[in-house]
Amino acid sequence: MSIKIRAGVALIAIAVSFTGVVATTPPVQAQGLLDALFKSPAQRKREQAAREQARQDAAAARQVKPVRISGPSYRTYKPDTLVKVDFGKIADPVVTGAIDDMGLAPLGIDPFEEGRPALADLSVSALPEAAEAVVEHYSTHPAYMWVAGTAITDRARAVIDVLDAADEVGLSADDYKVEVPADGFDVTQGTERQKELMAFEMKLSVAVASYMLDATRGRVDPNRISGYHDFKRKVPDLAKQLEALSKASDPDEALLAQNPQGAHFEALTAELKRLQDLDEGARIEIAPDVLLKPGQSNPELANVMAAILMKGSDELKSDNALLFASYAGKPEYDEELVALVKAFQKEAGLKPDGVVGPATRRAMVGITNADKIEKVRLAMERARWLPGVLASRRVFINQPAYTATYVENGKADLSMRVVVGTKSNQTYFFDDTIELVEFNPYWGVPQSIIFNEMVPKLRADPSYLDRLGYEVTAGGKRVSSSNINWSTVGRGSNIGVRQPPSDGNALGELKILFPNSHAIYMHDTPSKSLFQRDTRAYSHGCIRLQDPRAMAAKVLGTSVDAIGGHIAGGQNKQVQLSTQIPVHVAYFTAWPDDAGKVEYFADVYARDSYLRKAIDATESARGS
């Protein structure tokens, strides 16, 4: 061992003498030299591998795991909580007068004042807003609205008829039930009669206030269903409305008018009555998961033929009478049968491709009366989330129908197909106001697309966005995508991406803006083929327009040629609307067309079931 040490020291001395300079050897270099002199190759290899692993571990620790930005979730609905009406605030603690032996009030005593003591023992539950409004009204106006002397009034009976018919306007009559006192009573029990009438008065006013609230804003708060709903819940002045109702010449009409007004709600009301009076009739069933393509063989073909025979027009059946007569239930989907299905699809307004899928099946099978009634009632609830009176000039987007309609003077002036969000990138349900049109737009890429779709590609290919011509910013400063370490980019990294105007821009030639927190707007698209499909849920949430120039011309009040002139220059520019236009980004699986005929649509986001659960929870809470 001593010989080896001396030899090593000698070698160091020789190495130093060769440099011609006497200098202190840095610790790391010295350690490396000692390792080279005294450690075996295997030991050096193991330590080098350990150092490399430590370096990789440190790099991995610095790397940010990919994040995924997801949309809102659907929640278990929590209904409004009922409260006890605090009648103590309007009960008069002062003794108002003596009662004679017959139990009748002395002459000159106000019947309402005589009935006040009954309020101390009265227990009624109501929505908080209704409870507060009733107390406020009678504190300010201490007089009967529904009682005169020792009897209820005809005004009261008329209002009760409206409450009893609440189901006809999509509400539930069970929520507003009030027991009506009998006309006859024991005249020797005047005090008890006044207590009975006071209880009736208060219960009816609570029911009326509750009806007003529900008719105006709906029984369900949509924002509690999911974040895909964005509505400021209406807060009607119920106390003021109760006062107005007390003075109305026709209180029943005034109460009914609390429901949405307009042709759309009238059509839904009429359709509900029609369906409830209608016999279900015969019905053909086709397997829900059927997917029948030309040239295939499928036993469901027999049901398809039966459905066409039932649902097809007389002209279609006449033109194909021989084919129907000769069909013997064979499962082979040959050219003749394909031609028949295409004719049916064209008649039903579907893409005539001969493929029997979900949309064609729905057209052939239809939906039951019970299903339609449910859709109409849900539509009536959703209609209450919109303004009570829709503006005569507006844009109405119905996601399940995949349509956008421009309305002028209350009539549809332009309607077109649209593409809406996928199930994982759902389009929100909200109201807003169109403010401007941007031509040759930039596309500011949403954070969800940056992190969910772009970052994973950029970690493998940092120059990906540079090659596609996208502009990237970091902390507001323009940078090259290849200069960013994408493995360290996570939520909150302050990275921005936008696509400049171009022929391939995702927004096409223009976008129509109604600024909102969801970054949703209407726009053009280079993907025109999607408009030919029956189901058009393919976007990241925005609304792609089939004819964006026509819609832009309508909202700007100009011509399509003028719109083309804005686009022709190729420069990015914005044009403000002279008058802002309401836009409803809506979700209705039943909705009337311009002629008042209610049409039915598939529940693309399954929102009907969530609304149904919310209504059930509300009815259960009120019933208990």
Side-chain angles (χ1 to χ4, degrees), residues 216-423:
T216 301
R217 72 182 189 185
R219 291 183 289 168
V220 166
D221 181 350
N223 302 321
R224 294 183 206 160
I225 298 175
S226 81
Y228 285 118
H229 299 83
D230 186 4
F231 290 93
K232 184 177 181 180
R233 204 171 192 198
K234 300 172 186 175
V235 186
D237 189 339
L238 294 181
K240 185 176 181 179
Q241 291 177 350
L242 282 173
E243 181 183 357
L245 197 69
S246 70
K247 300 174 181 177
S249 57
D250 296 303
D252 51 335
E253 293 297 328
L255 182 57
L256 196 59
Q258 302 298 316
N259 291 284
Q261 300 298 297
H264 65 291
F265 201 79
E266 290 175 5
L268 291 171
T269 303
E271 176 73 351
L272 182 60
K273 184 178 186 307
R274 184 188 74 83
L275 292 171
Q276 290 173 333
D277 294 341
L278 197 63
D279 182 16
E280 180 70 50
R283 179 177 164 88
I284 301 296
E285 290 293 343
I286 299 175
D289 59 350
V290 69
L291 183 60
L292 179 58
K293 297 181 179 181
Q296 292 182 338
S297 178
N298 192 313
E300 286 297 318
L301 188 58
N303 291 329
V304 167
M305 291 295 290
I308 295 176
L309 190 60
M310 176 179 289
K311 296 285 187 178
S313 67
D314 291 340
E315 183 181 358
L316 178 67
K317 288 183 279 190
S318 176
D319 290 344
N320 295 274
L322 184 59
L323 180 58
F324 281 113
S326 62
Y327 179 71
K330 63 178 182 178
E332 288 76 28
Y333 192 28
D334 59 25
E335 292 183 5
E336 279 190 312
L337 299 180
V338 170
L340 174 63
V341 169
K342 286 182 177 179
F344 176 85
Q345 289 173 323
K346 186 175 182 180
E347 196 172 75
L350 303 173
K351 181 181 179 181
D353 56 8
V355 177
V356 181
T360 300
R361 177 192 174 276
R362 282 194 299 271
M364 291 177 172
V365 173
I367 58 177
T368 66
N369 270 1
D371 291 337
K372 289 181 179 180
I373 288 171
E374 175 76 349
K375 284 179 178 289
V376 170
R377 291 180 67 85
L378 296 182
M380 296 172 96
E381 173 69 17
R382 290 180 172 122
R384 303 178 198 281
W385 307 340
L386 305 178
V389 177
L390 300 181
S392 62
R393 187 184 183 207
R394 61 185 183 271
V395 173
F396 190 86
I397 299 160
N398 190 9
Q399 299 167 48
Y402 304 111
T403 57
T405 303
Y406 171 80
V407 178
E408 183 80 60
N409 296 322
K411 296 291 183 181
D413 192 44
L414 173 71
S415 190
M416 66 185 65
R417 290 186 165 205
V418 300
V419 172
V420 299
T422 63
K423 289 184 179 180

Side-chain angles (χ1 to χ4, degrees), residues 439-460:
F439 298 99
N440 302 307
Y442 282 88
W443 177 40
V445 183
Q447 291 290 296
S448 60
I449 297 179
I450 293 174
F451 288 104
N452 295 350
E453 301 178 23
M454 290 181 168
V455 167
K457 295 178 182 178
L458 288 161
R459 290 188 173 187

Side-chain angles (χ1 to χ4, degrees), residues 12-49:
I12 292 173
I14 293 171
V16 170
S17 67
F18 277 139
T19 66
V21 179
V22 178
T24 303
T25 305
V28 175
Q29 294 179 0
Q31 182 63 46
L33 183 58
L34 291 172
D35 289 348
L37 293 174
F38 302 120
K39 292 185 179 179
S40 67
Q43 187 176 5
R44 289 197 298 274
K45 187 174 181 180
R46 286 194 299 272
E47 291 181 355
Q48 183 178 0

Side-chain angles (χ1 to χ4, degrees), residues 1 58 114 164 280 292 328 382 417 474 476 493 529:
M1 176 64 79
E114 183 186 1
D164 287 344
E280 180 70 50
L292 179 58
R382 290 180 172 122
R417 290 186 165 205
S493 297
S529 62

Side-chain angles (χ1 to χ4, degrees), residues 94 160 190 247 304 464 497 568-569:
V94 179
I160 289 172
K247 300 174 181 177
V304 167
Y464 166 68
V497 178

